[in-house]
Amino acid sequence: MTETLKHTPDDENEIQDVLAFRDQGRCHATPVATFPPEVALAVVSTLMGIVRRAHASQAATRPGDEGIVRAQVFEEGYVYMLEAPFEGYFADRYLMDFYDVRERGICSRMHLHTGLRFVRMMTGPDTIIRVSSLSPFNVTMVDGVTPFVPEQFTDDLPDVPDGARLTRHNLVVRENSWVDLQIPRGVSHQFNAIGPNAVIDSVHPEESIETLRERMSGYRMMAQTIFLAEDLPLAESCAITESRS
């Protein structure tokens, strides 16, 4: 049986030692497209609107027939599960309406998941997404097809214990664009949006399998997350979108 990643399978806020952590692979980023601002805003606003309607819906904010609450709140923003896993189909899919870190004053924590993720990051006008990892990103570049080269830079991971220093690798999803991110199981990542118009469309192909693999007592979205920091860092630590060196 594959080794578990969780210390306590049902813990929805498990924090592991970042100094002892090692990524099991790297995130792969694929720039997909850029759009005119009005097109990007229409797409992102429509998807954000779905999430917001869900959070105003009694049906979506209570357990459904499958026992799942489809409208949830994550550290990065509001979530709506479009498709839930079921017997014979182990994946789920959700939309996330990002917080603007400048308005909230805090960033999300570096974390990892007990199963692989596929994430499409989408931005509209006046908005970028900064995605970070403790390992460098692999970026797909195909001549004549890839529309742009995303900016990358490094900085120090904030709030590291014992006065240690860890390099954080950052990739910027520019305005009015789509970038896909393939996140292997057990690989660190962190999303933060700077601006009001950002959404992700996320597919989790192992959602039911990882519940069994980690020996959880039931299906819990947050229990499939492992955090690498106890506190949410201040916005200043993730609102910078270029190297200061």
Side-chain angles (χ1 to χ4, degrees):
M1 184 174 181
T2 303
E3 182 181 357
T4 61
L5 295 179
K6 297 292 293 283
H7 298 321
T8 305
D10 293 332
D11 190 345
E12 297 189 351
N13 188 38
E14 178 163 302
I15 300 161
Q16 295 189 10
D17 182 2
V18 68
L19 297 181
F21 173 76
R22 297 294 181 273
D23 281 318
Q24 296 188 7
R26 292 186 178 186
C27 295
H28 288 237
T30 301
V32 177
T34 56
F35 296 95
E38 63 276 11
V39 174
L41 182 60
V43 172
V44 171
S45 296
T46 298
L47 297 179
M48 291 166 58
I50 294 170
V51 179
R52 293 175 184 184
R53 289 198 301 275
H55 279 262
S57 163
Q58 289 188 357
T61 53
R62 297 175 179 175
D65 293 339
E66 61 276 89
I68 295 172
V69 178
R70 289 179 176 255
Q72 301 187 28
V73 180
F74 286 6
E75 286 191 357
E76 300 94 340
Y78 293 97
V79 171
Y80 173 62
M81 182 184 291
L82 286 169
E83 288 111 23
F86 55 87
E87 187 66 33
Y89 194 88
F90 303 110
D92 78 2
R93 177 184 178 203
Y94 68 66
L95 298 175
M96 177 184 290
D97 176 8
F98 272 101
Y99 296 118
D100 182 344
V101 299
R102 297 174 304 183
E103 292 185 357
R104 199 165 61 142
I106 52 177
C107 307
S108 65
R109 291 177 284 178
M110 188 71 72
H111 63 281
L112 59 143
H113 293 297
T114 61
L116 64 90
R117 301 290 192 261
F118 174 84
V119 177
R120 171 157 287 173
M121 303 174 285
M122 295 171 276
T123 58
D126 304 314
T127 306
I128 64 98
I129 297 172
R130 171 173 163 170
V131 56
S132 307
S133 177
L134 296 176
S135 296
F137 292 88
N138 289 344
V139 179
T140 302
M141 297 301 301
V142 179
D143 289 343
V145 180
T146 304
F148 61 90
V149 179
E151 179 187 354
Q152 297 188 65
F153 64 97
T154 60
D155 64 356
D156 291 335
L157 184 70
D159 304 327
V160 176
D162 303 325
R165 185 173 181 180
L166 289 177
T167 298
R168 177 170 57 177
H169 300 266
N170 305 279
L171 182 144
V172 177
V173 181
R174 62 173 62 175
E175 295 181 37
N176 307 313
S177 65
W178 291 8
V179 174
D180 286 349
L181 191 67
Q182 294 166 282
I183 308 172
R185 177 178 185 256
V187 175
S188 61
H189 56 285
Q190 176 186 28
F191 298 108
N192 288 288
I194 299 97
N197 302 307
V199 68
I200 63 172
D201 182 358
S202 183
V203 178
H204 309 153
E206 298 181 296
E207 200 71 275
S208 296
I209 294 172
E210 63 189 287
T211 299
L212 298 174
R213 185 170 58 204
E214 294 293 325
R215 304 179 188 140
M216 299 173 189
S217 64
Y219 176 79
R220 292 181 178 87
M221 292 177 72
M222 287 305 298
Q224 292 161 300
T225 300
I226 299 168
F227 295 101
L228 297 174
E230 185 171 356
D231 300 315
L232 279 72
L234 295 177
E236 289 77 7
S237 71
C238 65
I240 302 299
T241 58
E242 60 184 8
S243 176
R244 288 180 163 178
S245 61

